[in-house]
Amino acid sequence: MQAFADLVRMGKALYIGVSEWTAQQIQDGHDLAEDLGIHLISNQPQYSMLWRVIESDVIPVCVSLGISQVVFSPIAQGLLTGKYRPGEQPPAGSRATDEKGGADMIKKWMSDDVLERVQQLVPLAKEAGLSMAQLAVAWVLQNDNVASAIIGASRPEQVQDNAAASGVTLGDELLTKIDKILDAVIERDPARTLDSSPKTRAA
């Protein structure tokens, strides 16, 4: 944090953000930053309809501290596009077929139970006039503490499709239907943040 403060004072950085910190780490980091005369302004966590581990404690702490979320993986490594179907091989060239790392990242979602539930979202997206990716991105942006979403697009048309979710408002009835469909497969345990967060911090 002292190094961050030095960078800000030298004008090499304007603001400081963190990524995948627990609520307690964010609180402690905020307090230390304030002591050094700088401010934490953002947290960059994973967040999607399926991965909601930040909702119970990270977001409330961030709201109280004036820190917002810049979330990544809003379409759950591509799973929420609906292109993966239960009982079928993943489409050629998709992340699930990438043996260099992509397949490992998405494998936690590739059970038939999850895939079947995601397919149930398809008619909801169509009814709302949205693609599945737009539904997923609009869902994360619906959270008042989310400032923006980082999309993992690999083609220009994917960028255009995802960007069209900006400004979309999902109604309460639609949100309730989404929750009902996905409820049994949603990851909510805040302790899961520790899976990707360093266990110790430099003193």
Side-chain angles (χ1 to χ4, degrees):
M1 196 63 74
Q2 181 65 62
F4 287 158
D6 291 344
L7 290 171
V8 171
R9 293 188 185 109
M10 288 187 290
K12 295 183 180 293
L14 296 178
Y15 303 103
I16 302 301
V18 299
S19 180
E20 291 285 66
W21 282 21
T22 65
Q24 188 60 57
Q25 289 167 344
I26 290 170
Q27 179 68 65
D28 293 343
H30 168 273
D31 294 345
L32 180 55
E34 292 291 311
D35 288 345
L36 294 170
I38 61 173
H39 307 285
L40 293 184
I41 66 162
S42 66
N43 178 43
Q44 184 180 300
Q46 180 180 174
Y47 187 49
S48 71
M49 294 178 188
L50 292 168
W51 190 264
R52 307 189 191 184
V53 302
I54 63 172
E55 290 182 340
S56 63
D57 56 3
V58 167
I59 285 181
V61 165
C62 286
V63 168
S64 71
L65 298 175
I67 295 171
S68 61
Q69 312 299 317
V70 179
V71 304
F72 69 88
S73 200
I75 55 177
Q77 308 294 330
L79 187 112
L80 289 171
T81 63
K83 64 185 173 186
Y84 300 105
R85 298 177 181 276
E88 297 182 11
Q89 289 297 312
S94 65
R95 185 180 297 269
T97 64
D98 177 15
E99 297 302 327
K100 295 180 179 179
D104 287 337
M105 290 188 285
I106 197 174
K107 67 181 180 181
K108 65 175 177 282
W109 302 124
M110 294 299 289
S111 71
D112 280 352
D113 187 22
V114 174
L115 298 180
E116 287 167 0
R117 291 171 185 274
V118 170
Q119 287 303 310
Q120 293 178 46
L121 300 178
V122 173
L124 299 185
K126 288 181 178 178
E127 185 178 340
L130 303 170
S131 69
M132 284 285 284
Q134 289 167 355
L135 180 70
V137 174
W139 187 91
V140 300
L141 294 176
Q142 194 93 354
N143 190 309
D144 289 340
N145 191 235
V146 173
S148 62
I150 300 170
I151 57 174
S154 57
R155 299 190 303 274
E157 58 268 26
Q158 292 177 334
V159 175
Q160 294 164 355
D161 182 59
N162 285 199
S166 178
V168 170
T169 299
L170 305 181
D172 291 341
E173 183 179 354
L174 176 54
L175 294 172
T176 299
K177 289 179 179 177
I178 291 170
D179 286 349
K180 186 175 181 179
I181 290 170
L182 298 179
D183 183 60
V185 295
I186 294 169
E187 180 58 70
R188 292 187 172 91
D189 182 4
R192 294 300 302 275
T193 300
L194 285 173
D195 294 346
S196 53
S197 181
K199 304 299 183 291
T200 60
R201 304 283 169 184

